[in-house]
């Protein structure tokens, strides 16, 4: 799947797209990103053109300029995005919070939706919903002592053991095995990427998760009934309601690989659309923002300010850092000239080095990336190290996060909590070390 940025008004939307055939839009769960959808996209790419946007404020998409008060407030943004992509008729898949986003879009624009696929979608009564809204979203604002990281790990680990994660009693115990520390690490990255306001769309999804909205649907709909879903009891509460005849149920197995295979088979069989869609991503970018550079080892993520059309200054981060750590430098140095910061392979939001690939000379690789943007010549500045030059090693209890936080405090003695937060996040993302 190709990653790209698309302008939606003054905002940039990050998305993953690829495949061929009729179009399907996929909405991820909160507080994650479109990367969560890659296993299902692999099942569908040979039959459909797939478009998976990061919800505003999650992944790498810009936040909405004004805080949304209802899930409906996101829909004009997505309508504008789909218009930008020349999407007129398409299926929609959504999981968890993404299912509520998909459901709302189908209610607002039924003529655009050929089929709706709802995964991890249920019904909560008022008492259940009030309990969730009171307890599900603890404060994750950075604290100088790092206590927010202990709360974060408790949430991430709790999600894998109980639903709701805070109701740690036998009645709420999940049957799924505990994932590895590395998987928990990746989920923690998504929370930190979303930031202290990680609950923005998450909370609104719970408010919207009512059977009455499914009952109002006018489009062909499938509800996936996953045998091991964390919200299985609430899926059953939804299915216990009288649903329209055009809403069908597809039971999916517990094991993840079999589950995605089953969903892929059902989507291929139930899709009625024959309207072939050819994806054409915009080639024009705003004067400042984010984009990707081509390289032999994958897509390299870059932050830039090209308001001056001239030879740019390239800023390259140290090991364990990323382009995101250069934001302040870009702002300072973009006044006299154009500036760009590129994340090395396996750092920040650049692709990791593919198996069997070799980077070779890093300077030549970056030079080729700049050439892909149309720059044969550029200035160069290499930043000194700001993070410890070693990879983080996740542990099952999350102790490594607090240790990393304290290490950064000693290195960035004059930095505030927000600066520590972004340095920790980018250090956590670093996957390639030499």
């Amino acid at each position: 799947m190709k990653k790209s940025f698309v302008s939606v008004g003054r905002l940039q939307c990050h998305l993953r797209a690829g495949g061929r055939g009729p179009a399907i839009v996929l909405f991820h769960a909160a507080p994650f990103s479109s990367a969560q959808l890659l296993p299902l996209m692999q099942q569908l790419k040979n039959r459909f053109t797939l478009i998976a946007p990061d919800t505003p404020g999650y992944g790498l998409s810009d936040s909405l300029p004004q805080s949304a008060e209802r899930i409906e407030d996101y829909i004009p943004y997505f309508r504008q995005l789909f218009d930008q992509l020349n999407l007129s008729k398409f299926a929609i898949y959504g999981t968890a919070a993404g299912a509520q986003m998909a459901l709302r879009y189908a209610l607002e624009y039924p003529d655009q939706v050929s089929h709706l696929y709802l995964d991890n979608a249920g019904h909560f009564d008022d008492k259940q919903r009030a309990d969730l809204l009171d307890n599900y979203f603890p404060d994750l604002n950075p604290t100088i002592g790092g206590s927010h990281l202990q709360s974060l790990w408790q949430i991430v680990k709790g999600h894998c053991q109980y639903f709701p994660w805070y109701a740690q009693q036998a009645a709420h115990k999940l049957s799924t095995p505990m994932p590895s520390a590395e998987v928990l690490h990746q989920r923690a990255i998504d929370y930190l990427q979303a930031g202290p306001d990680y609950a923005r769309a998450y909370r609104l999804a719970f408010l919207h998760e009512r059977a009455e909205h499914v009952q109002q649907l006018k489009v062909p709909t499938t509800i996936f009934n996953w045998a091991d879903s964390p919200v299985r009891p609430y899926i059953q509460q939804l299915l216990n309601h009288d649903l329209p005849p055009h809403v069908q149920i597809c039971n999916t197995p517990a094991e993840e690989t079999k589950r995605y295979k089953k969903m892929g088979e059902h989507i291929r069989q139930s899709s009625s659309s024959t309207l072939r869609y050819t994806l054409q991503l915009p080639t024009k970018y705003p004067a400042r923002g984010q984009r990707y550079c081509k390289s032999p080892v994958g897509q390299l993520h870059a932050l830039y300010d090209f308001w001056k059309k001239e030879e740019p200054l390239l800023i390259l981060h140290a090991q364990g850092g990323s382009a995101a750590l250069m934001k302040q430098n870009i702002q300072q140095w973009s006044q006299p000239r154009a500036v760009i910061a590129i994340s090395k392979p396996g750092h920040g939001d650049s692709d990791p080095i593919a198996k069997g690939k070799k980077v070779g000379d890093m300077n030549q690789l970056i030079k080729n990336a700049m050439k892909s943007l149309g720059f044969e010549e550029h200035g160069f500045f290499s930043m000194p190290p700001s993070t410890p030059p070693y990879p983080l090693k996740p542990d099952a209890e999350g102790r490594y996060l607090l240790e990393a936080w304290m290490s950064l405090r000693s290195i960035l003695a004059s930095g505030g909590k927000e600066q520590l937060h972004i340095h920790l996040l980018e250090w956590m993302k670093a996957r390639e070390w030499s």
Side-chain angles (χ1 to χ4, degrees):
M1 293 295 118
K2 182 180 180 181
K3 298 178 291 185
S4 187
F5 289 93
V6 176
S7 293
V8 182
R10 294 185 178 182
L11 305 179
Q12 281 193 295
C13 175
H14 180 257
L15 55 80
R16 286 172 167 83
R20 57 190 178 189
I24 299 182
V25 170
L26 301 96
F27 289 115
H28 62 84
F32 307 114
S33 74
S34 55
Q36 180 196 34
L37 301 168
L38 287 173
L40 181 58
M41 296 174 82
Q42 289 299 318
Q43 291 286 332
L44 300 173
K45 66 180 182 180
N46 293 329
R47 173 75 182 278
F48 301 98
T49 300
L50 308 168
I51 301 162
D54 290 355
T55 299
Y58 296 92
L60 295 182
S61 288
D62 292 336
S63 298
L64 295 179
Q66 294 181 329
S67 295
E69 296 184 2
R70 305 177 304 160
I71 208 159
E72 289 90 332
D73 295 337
Y74 286 89
I75 303 307
Y77 169 94
F78 284 117
R79 177 59 192 262
Q80 190 174 352
L81 170 65
F82 301 152
D83 287 347
Q84 283 276 88
L85 298 175
N86 294 317
L87 276 170
S88 57
K89 192 78 171 181
F90 49 93
I92 308 182
Y93 165 90
T95 181
Q100 298 309 307
M101 202 74 71
L103 171 55
R104 191 69 243 169
Y105 196 93
L107 289 172
E108 299 286 339
Y109 298 108
D111 292 343
Q112 283 194 313
V113 181
S114 60
H115 201 113
L116 176 65
Y117 300 96
L118 301 176
D119 194 15
N120 290 312
H123 168 80
F124 294 88
D125 63 35
D126 290 341
K127 183 179 179 181
Q128 291 166 340
R129 186 176 296 105
D131 182 66
L132 285 165
L133 295 177
D134 285 345
N135 299 290
Y136 204 83
F137 305 107
D139 184 3
L140 291 182
N141 277 286
T143 61
I144 198 64
S147 60
H148 66 293
L149 298 171
Q150 295 170 314
S151 298
L152 167 63
W153 199 259
Q154 186 179 11
I155 297 170
V156 169
K157 194 170 182 179
H159 271 301
C160 302
Q161 298 173 298
Y162 303 91
F163 188 88
W165 68 268
Y166 55 84
Q168 299 190 4
Q169 300 96 29
H172 298 275
K173 189 82 167 66
L174 303 178
S175 60
T176 49
M178 175 61 68
S180 66
E182 181 58 36
V183 170
L184 297 178
H185 172 82
Q186 293 300 321
R187 293 180 184 179
I189 287 175
D190 284 319
Y191 273 85
L192 293 176
Q193 182 78 53
D197 196 22
Y198 70 97
R200 57 180 80 85
Y202 211 164
R203 182 181 293 273
L204 299 181
F206 278 132
L207 288 170
H208 190 266
E209 202 151 358
R210 303 170 186 267
E212 64 193 67
H213 292 134
V214 178
Q215 292 171 327
Q216 294 166 7
L217 285 167
K218 305 299 183 185
V219 304
T221 300
T222 295
I223 297 174
F224 289 116
N225 185 20
W226 174 23
D228 247 4
S229 172
V231 294
R232 186 80 186 279
Y234 308 96
I235 297 175
Q236 296 308 310
Q237 287 184 181
L238 172 61
L239 301 184
N240 288 339
H241 285 74
D242 290 329
L243 301 178
H246 53 268
V247 175
Q248 59 180 306
I249 313 305
C250 176
N251 295 314
T252 58
E255 198 275 324
E256 186 175 87
T257 302
K258 293 179 180 178
R259 173 183 170 235
Y260 285 121
K261 183 178 180 181
K262 175 72 173 182
M263 288 198 294
E265 290 172 351
H266 177 83
I267 292 172
R268 286 190 292 271
Q269 292 168 3
S270 61
S271 173
S272 60
S273 177
T274 58
L275 182 63
R276 188 177 181 86
Y277 171 76
T278 301
L279 179 67
Q280 292 182 324
L281 293 170
T283 55
K284 292 184 178 180
Y285 292 87
R288 55 177 62 89
Q290 305 179 73
R291 63 182 300 175
Y292 287 100
C293 313
K294 296 178 182 178
S295 86
V297 297
Q299 292 180 280
L300 303 185
H301 178 249
L303 299 176
Y304 68 91
D305 190 329
F306 289 163
W307 74 279
K308 285 198 171 183
K309 304 293 183 182
E310 59 178 26
E311 176 186 302
L313 173 66
L314 168 65
I315 312 173
L316 202 58
H317 63 85
Q319 195 78 340
S322 77
L325 299 181
M326 308 295 106
K327 283 185 179 179
Q328 188 173 355
N329 302 94
I330 292 173
Q331 293 171 354
Q332 290 175 344
W333 297 346
S334 63
Q335 297 305 311
R337 65 186 304 175
V339 180
I340 182 169
I342 298 178
S343 291
K344 298 175 184 178
H347 287 71
D349 296 290
S350 289
D351 288 342
I353 301 168
K355 190 175 182 180
K357 292 275 188 180
K358 293 184 178 180
V359 172
D361 182 72
M362 180 64 70
N363 290 334
Q364 185 60 46
L365 185 143
I366 297 297
K367 185 175 182 180
N368 291 340
M370 291 294 290
K371 192 177 291 187
S372 76
L373 299 179
F375 297 107
E376 295 287 343
E377 301 293 335
H378 57 81
F380 176 78
F381 184 83
S382 181
M383 295 296 293
S386 57
T387 54
Y390 57 86
L392 291 177
K393 295 182 179 179
D395 62 79
E397 301 306 318
R399 288 185 293 268
Y400 76 106
L401 286 180
L402 189 56
E403 292 170 2
W405 183 261
M406 301 311 288
S407 294
L408 288 172
R409 277 187 61 184
S410 64
I411 295 170
L412 306 171
S414 60
K417 293 177 291 187
E418 290 72 21
Q419 187 181 8
L420 289 169
H421 172 91
I422 187 63
H423 276 76
L424 176 64
L425 173 61
E426 300 309 313
W427 188 11
M428 290 173 70
K429 289 180 182 180
R431 290 155 289 179
E432 305 291 346
W433 299 79
S434 59

